Amino acid sequence: MQSSDIKVQLIEESKISQVDFNNLPFGSVFSDHMLECDYKDGKWQTPVIKPYSPITLDPSAKIFHYGQSIFEGMKAYKDAEGSTLLFRPLENCKRLNKSAERMVIPQIPEDIFMTGLKKLLEIDNNWIPTKEGSSLYIRPFMFASGNGFHASPANAFKLLICTAPSGAYFAGKVKVLIEEKYARAANGGVGFAKAGGNYAAQFYPTQLAIEKGYNQVIWTDDNTHEYIEEAGAMNIFIRINDTLITSPTSDRILDGITRKSIIQIAKDSGIDVEVRKITVSEVIAAAQSGSLKEMFGAGTAAVISPIAGFGYQEKDYDLPELENPLALQLKKQITDIQTNKAEDPYGWRVKL
Ligand SMILES: *Cc1c(COP(=O)(O)O)cnc(C)c1O
């Protein structure tokens, strides 16, 4: 597919003058345009770029009843020369298709995804913030638009890509609760997919944790609740002495692009990294002996989100305040690569 094949319907009057780029929230101000691509008659049709606006769906569309829906999260940046940069975008496309396979949503050809995304970013180029720490958050998503109450996969789907200029995602230092009852994912389930329902199912236990004074839940395995798995909707890293530990990906743990980039950067910086299962008891023992140095979440939105302390079985544990935490060092290294402030020896950065 050629970029020129994409039909473009431009907005009559841009909304950009109404936006304060110095005070951007995260993911709630939307750019002028969106990309829409329909799957019908057994194939993905040519995408259309049109003004960001509500869409019309049949009340019996299967997305509403059976949650056949997946998404991705990625970011575009502007470097000092004004070039538009993406970070490992093909990884997002591949993961979208991995999620799609599990949810019986048709595969989106890489060509439609990338050509469409690039054209959307060309059209809404002015919406990519330049301020330090801000970026254009990109949300591609696919869902069952086909109708009927029959509990079976739909025969019509939509891919939409919407974008939101966003300020730094700063949650502050979070206090987390290690979950002992609920689980976000199970063996054989859909935890590895970015399927909408995974997040809806997290809201209730997270709300209970918030009521107890925590910000977020640390997910443990559904079977024993002994193994640490993820931090909210982020992968988790735990530093004991000078070793950085992260759980291996599985059916239950999402294969985060930030996670794997951090593993690579940390290893290449000479940090001892262990990808292995880690138990709650090991973390508690480390907290008690003073060898637990840091815990942080990793994901596209926040990049790295440091954890200040955690609760477990009615007891709270604080993490030490470090001078130069690995969380901040690694965050700087990865964001410098993303925004072209540092060499990119990995070829992760994609310039449009
Ligand atoms: C998206 C997501 C992540 C982080 O993935 P990135 O590719 O780094 O953004 C981690 N865990 C869950 C559950 C997620 O949904």
Side-chain angles (χ1 to χ4, degrees), residues 71-74 92 95 137 184 191 193-195 198-199 202 219 230-236 252-260 298-301 303:
F71 67 94
E72 271 302 320
M74 52 205 296
N92 293 95
R95 190 171 62 193
Y137 185 74
R184 75 168 285 278
K194 284 185 103 75
N198 282 341
Y199 305 84
Q202 285 185 211
W219 301 107
E230 294 210 59
M234 286 185 277
N235 293 114
I236 189 163
R252 304 184 307 270
I253 299 183
L254 194 119
D255 187 4
I257 298 161
T258 316
R259 173 186 174 278
K260 58 186 169 199
T300 295
V303 187

Side-chain angles (χ1 to χ4, degrees), residues 178-185 218-229 278-281 312-313:
I178 299 183
E179 183 59 59
E180 293 174 75
K181 177 176 179 188
Y182 299 98
R184 75 168 285 278
I218 298 295
W219 301 107
T220 49
D221 69 290
D222 60 302
N223 187 22
T224 65
H225 295 288
E226 247 307 294
Y227 295 95
I228 304 250
E229 306 220 307
I278 177 162
T279 58
V280 180
S281 16
Y312 182 65
Q313 293 185 340

Side-chain angles (χ1 to χ4, degrees), residues 207-281:
Q207 185 180 303
L208 296 180
I210 290 170
E211 282 165 11
K212 286 187 176 170
Y214 300 93
N215 307 99
Q216 196 49 268
V217 168
I218 298 295
W219 301 107
T220 49
D221 69 290
D222 60 302
N223 187 22
T224 65
H225 295 288
E226 247 307 294
Y227 295 95
I228 304 250
E229 306 220 307
E230 294 210 59
M234 286 185 277
N235 293 114
I236 189 163
F237 285 84
I238 297 167
R239 174 180 168 196
I240 297 181
N241 290 319
D242 285 325
T243 302
L244 205 52
I245 305 160
T246 188
S247 323
T249 56
S250 67
D251 266 10
R252 304 184 307 270
I253 299 183
L254 194 119
D255 187 4
I257 298 161
T258 316
R259 173 186 174 278
K260 58 186 169 199
S261 305
I262 289 172
I263 294 173
Q264 182 77 53
I265 291 173
K267 281 185 175 166
D268 293 346
S269 309
I271 297 165
D272 183 27
V273 182
E274 290 179 4
V275 177
R276 64 160 169 91
K277 290 183 165 189
I278 177 162
T279 58
V280 180
S281 16

